[in-house]
């Protein structure tokens, strides 16, 4: 992609409305623009990141045995009247009237809709267990939308729903999702800490929030410091016993949100206890037969009896994660994307556009990288070097290749790693093999 024609509206100055660094950088780096309060348009660079996050989530959901479908954003009020949540959800729910005066709503979550699909299609215990998921826009009319995409009104969520015959089986689904969440966040370079949580309006009795630590997080959290260096995942297979002991291990250390924190435990942990700000990036619930009973979703059991399946739901804030990752990976100059979710893997900077040697070297590098499947952003603009460096640092691509006339005379270009700031002069061939390796 050539930057001269790419739609990348960057800002030099910090936008006044942005209070936290990820919001500032998302606006400055041309990732999003606000459409109205808490509602954002995703511009090409931001959309690339959003899609990468979504894809990692998808791969890990698939690997955990969940199956993807796509439910609509607009739902009928009747379903929510059946579950009893229509009135209780209050002002957070955006309610809509269609031309036939039917009450509709923009879905804030999908327990009702997925239970409706289930009861129309699944009849026998032999069809269980099932985990269904989608990644879809949600709307919640938050009292205080703020911090850009971190607390929006419209936001992208992956939500999965599990259906099992009994508690033991439901617990296996829960464990599966629990570990898949840790894997998902780890692939994005995030250390997520599971905290036992209240189930809130979803109801039920087992729930964990996944929190990543960042100074600007909305909640105060307390946890054992070992969480920060934990790597219990590499060894865990998808065997149910393995998953259960991984969950056991991950929940055995102390972790609590502000409301749940028990100062006595703290005192006991001494120096091992850390308190920090955290961002909730995922939340999982086991809630038993709450929805299956309310909505009359049953399956025929082994002895012909009608049984209510045990359910759970599992959310990940896909659009919130884009902001959360920036909170974790940035410096004064801009974003430092982890490789796995970078919008382009390499930025090529041509320091003298119009100089035949520079132009040829750059197109050669770009073509070779693209031929091996790399996404490359080529800064071919007629701009000062300083402006080009600033843009590249701001948008945070993991690698920068700097091509200038002086270097080329000596047969070298400069390769910069954005995360560390390390630079080295290399021949084009060695730079390419390093980038492709
Ligand atoms: P919060 O406590 O942050 O308000 P929640 O508990 O209401 O979130 P859930 O229903 O658990 O949210 O939704 C699952 C995930 O969706 C959350 O873990 C979060 O990552 C994301 N999410 C929830 N609300 C928003 C929002 N307003 N903007 C962006 N992401 C959100
Ligand atoms: Mg939550």
């Amino acid at each position: 992609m050539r930057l001269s024609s790419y739609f990348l509206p960057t800002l030099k100055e910090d936008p006044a409305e942005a209070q936290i660094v990820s919001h500032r950088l998302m606006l400055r780096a041309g990732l999003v623009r606000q459409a109205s309060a808490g509602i954002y348009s995703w511009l090409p660079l931001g959309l690339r990141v959003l899609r990468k996050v979504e894809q990692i989530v998808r791969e890990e959901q698939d690997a955990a045995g969940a199956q993807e479908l796509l439910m609509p954003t607009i739902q009928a009020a009747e379903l929510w009247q059946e579950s009893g949540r229509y009135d209780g959800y209050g002002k957070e729910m955006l309610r809509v009237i269609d031309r036939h005066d039917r009450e509709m709503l923009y879905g804030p979550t999908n327990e009702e809709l997925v239970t409706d699909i289930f009861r129309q299609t699944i009849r026998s215990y032999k069809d269980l267990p099932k985990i269904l998921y989608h990644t879809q826009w949600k709307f919640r009319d938050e009292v205080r939308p703020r911090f850009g995409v971190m607390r929006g009104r419209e936001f992208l969520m992956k939500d999965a729903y599990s259906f099992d015959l009994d508690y033991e089986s439901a617990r296996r689904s829960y464990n599966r999702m629990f570990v898949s969440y840790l894997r998902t966040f780890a692939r994005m370079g995030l250390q997520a800490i599971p905290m036992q949580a209240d189930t809130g309006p979803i109801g039920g009795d087992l729930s964990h929030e996944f929190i990543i630590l960042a100074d600007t997080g909305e909640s105060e959290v307390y946890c054992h410091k070992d969480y920060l260096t934990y790597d219990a995942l590499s060894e865990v297979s998808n065997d149910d016993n393995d998953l259960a002991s991984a969950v056991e291990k991950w929940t055995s250390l102390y972790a609590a949100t502000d409301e749940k924190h028990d100062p006595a435990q703290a005192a006991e942990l001494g120096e091992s206890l850390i308190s920090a700000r955290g961002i909730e990036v995922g939340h999982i619930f086991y809630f038993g037969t709450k929805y299956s009973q309310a909505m009359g979703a049953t399956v025929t059991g082994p002895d012909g009896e009608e049984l209510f399946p045990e359910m759970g739901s599992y959310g990940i804030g896909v659009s919130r994660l884009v902001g959360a990752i920036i909170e974790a990976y940035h410096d004064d100059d801009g974003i430092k994307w982890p490789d796995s979710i970078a919008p382009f893997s390499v930025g090529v900077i041509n320091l003298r556009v119009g100089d035949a040697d520079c132009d040829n070297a750059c197109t050669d590098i770009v073509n070779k990288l693209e031929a091996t499947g790399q996404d490359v952003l080529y800064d071919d603009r007629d701009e000062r070097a300083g402006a080009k460096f600033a843009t590249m640092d701001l948008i945070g691509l993991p690698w920068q290749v700097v091509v200038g006339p002086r270097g080329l005379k000596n047969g070298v270009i400069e390769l910069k790693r954005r995360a560390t700031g390390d630079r080295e002069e290399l021949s084009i061939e060695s730079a390419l093999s390093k980038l492709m390796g």
Side-chain angles (χ1 to χ4, degrees):
M1 179 60 68
R2 283 171 181 258
L3 192 47
S4 57
S5 56
Y6 195 52
F7 180 51
L8 183 67
T10 54
L11 303 173
K12 285 212 177 62
E13 305 297 328
D14 279 337
E17 74 267 29
Q19 300 167 33
I20 62 170
V21 67
S22 61
H23 189 193
R24 275 201 295 278
L25 288 173
M26 287 185 77
L27 293 169
R28 284 194 52 208
L31 305 182
V32 293
R33 279 290 181 276
Q34 183 173 301
S36 57
I39 304 180
Y40 289 85
S41 299
W42 289 77
L43 307 187
L45 196 72
L47 184 60
R48 278 178 170 263
V49 179
L50 188 69
R51 293 272 190 257
K52 293 240 167 138
V53 171
E54 183 184 348
Q55 183 57 22
I56 291 178
V57 171
R58 173 178 292 118
E59 286 168 16
E60 293 300 327
Q61 290 289 294
D62 291 346
Q67 301 179 52
E68 186 170 14
L69 45 61
L70 184 59
M71 292 178 268
T73 54
I74 303 292
Q75 308 180 16
E78 279 106 67
L79 288 178
W80 288 68
Q81 283 153 353
E82 279 191 65
S83 74
R85 283 208 292 181
Y86 191 55
D87 296 326
Y89 222 94
K91 290 194 164 170
E92 290 234 327
M93 179 182 275
L94 182 66
R95 295 155 206 261
V96 191
I97 307 283
D98 76 5
R99 67 195 298 162
H100 305 292
D101 269 345
R102 275 192 285 258
E103 291 176 48
M104 314 287 286
L105 57 100
Y106 195 121
T109 177
N110 281 59
E111 282 79 10
E112 283 79 358
L113 198 46
V114 78
T115 306
D116 184 48
I117 293 174
F118 183 93
R119 72 181 168 184
Q120 291 179 42
T121 50
I122 296 195
R123 299 265 173 268
S124 162
Y125 77 96
K126 290 183 192 148
D127 296 321
L128 301 184
K130 282 269 176 302
I131 306 179
L132 304 174
Y133 79 96
H134 72 165
T135 303
Q136 178 63 290
W137 294 93
K138 304 289 186 291
F139 196 94
R140 295 181 186 177
D141 207 349
E142 301 270 357
V143 196
R144 285 221 302 152
R146 56 183 183 155
F147 302 158
V149 301
M150 296 267 250
R151 182 165 297 284
R153 294 198 295 164
E154 189 184 48
F155 59 97
L156 190 61
M157 194 207 285
K158 183 285 303 178
D159 38 324
Y161 303 89
S162 63
F163 299 87
D164 285 272
L165 192 58
D166 53 31
Y167 175 76
E168 284 66 40
S169 171
R171 205 40 229 257
R172 286 196 286 275
S173 294
Y174 190 90
N175 290 346
R176 219 166 245 275
M177 283 291 133
F178 188 110
V179 173
S180 98
Y181 272 37
L182 295 175
R183 290 190 175 126
T184 302
F185 301 130
R187 280 182 63 183
M188 298 171 193
L190 300 176
Q191 179 73 285
I193 300 164
M195 311 246 170
Q196 193 148 16
D198 286 329
T199 49
I202 302 232
D205 46 32
L206 179 61
S207 174
H208 284 91
E209 289 175 355
F210 291 78
I211 308 263
I212 61 151
L213 303 185
D215 291 343
T216 50
E218 280 189 304
S219 35
E220 181 77 17
V221 296
Y222 298 84
C223 70
H224 195 290
K225 69 171 174 23
D226 284 0
Y227 267 123
L228 301 185
T229 49
Y230 234 38
D231 176 26
L233 291 176
S234 37
E235 302 293 299
V236 186
S237 75
N238 265 336
D239 172 79
D240 286 319
N241 293 328
D242 252 26
L243 292 172
S245 53
V247 171
E248 174 73 35
K249 187 165 175 200
W250 273 85
T251 49
S252 62
L253 291 174
Y254 184 74
T257 48
D258 202 14
E259 316 89 67
K260 294 247 164 152
H261 177 55
D262 167 9
Q265 281 271 359
E268 199 174 300
L269 285 167
E271 304 243 301
S272 299
L273 186 79
I274 45 175
S275 86
R277 308 294 299 176
I279 302 170
E280 179 192 322
V281 289
H283 197 162
I284 63 178
F285 304 84
Y286 158 75
F287 45 72
T289 59
K290 177 177 154 113
Y291 294 93
S292 52
Q293 286 213 27
M295 298 181 64
T298 56
V299 291
T300 312
D303 304 319
E305 73 282 33
E306 293 291 301
L307 299 169
F308 294 111
E310 300 263 331
M311 293 173 59
S313 71
Y314 313 88
I316 290 184
V318 173
S319 49
R320 178 180 287 185
L321 271 167
V322 176
I325 292 164
I326 296 173
E327 290 294 329
Y329 291 99
H330 70 270
D331 62 15
D332 288 346
D333 298 323
I335 304 167
K336 303 195 279 188
W337 293 116
D339 295 276
S340 59
I341 49 126
F344 294 91
S345 49
V346 186
V348 174
I349 296 177
N350 185 341
L351 289 181
R352 189 157 310 155
V353 176
D355 172 276
D357 286 345
C358 286
D359 292 353
N360 291 338
C362 285
T363 30
D364 184 47
I365 293 168
V366 171
N367 290 340
K368 285 185 172 139
L369 287 171
E370 286 182 344
T372 61
Q374 304 234 24
D375 294 324
V376 184
L377 186 63
Y378 171 28
D379 191 347
D380 62 336
R381 295 172 305 163
D382 190 9
E383 271 278 1
R384 287 179 306 112
K388 295 192 170 197
F389 293 137
T391 302
M392 256 332 151
D393 280 351
L394 175 64
I395 66 172
L397 309 183
W399 294 100
Q400 299 175 10
V401 176
V402 184
V403 180
R406 212 174 318 137
L408 282 185
K409 287 221 166 58
N410 302 320
V412 294
I413 52 97
E414 190 180 78
L415 187 63
K416 175 176 159 182
R417 182 76 172 147
R418 176 69 178 95
T420 56
D422 293 346
R423 308 152 182 273
E424 46 182 339
E425 293 204 324
L426 295 168
S427 69
I428 292 181
E429 288 66 42
S430 355
L432 284 174
S433 63
K434 191 156 183 178
L435 291 171
M436 292 168 182

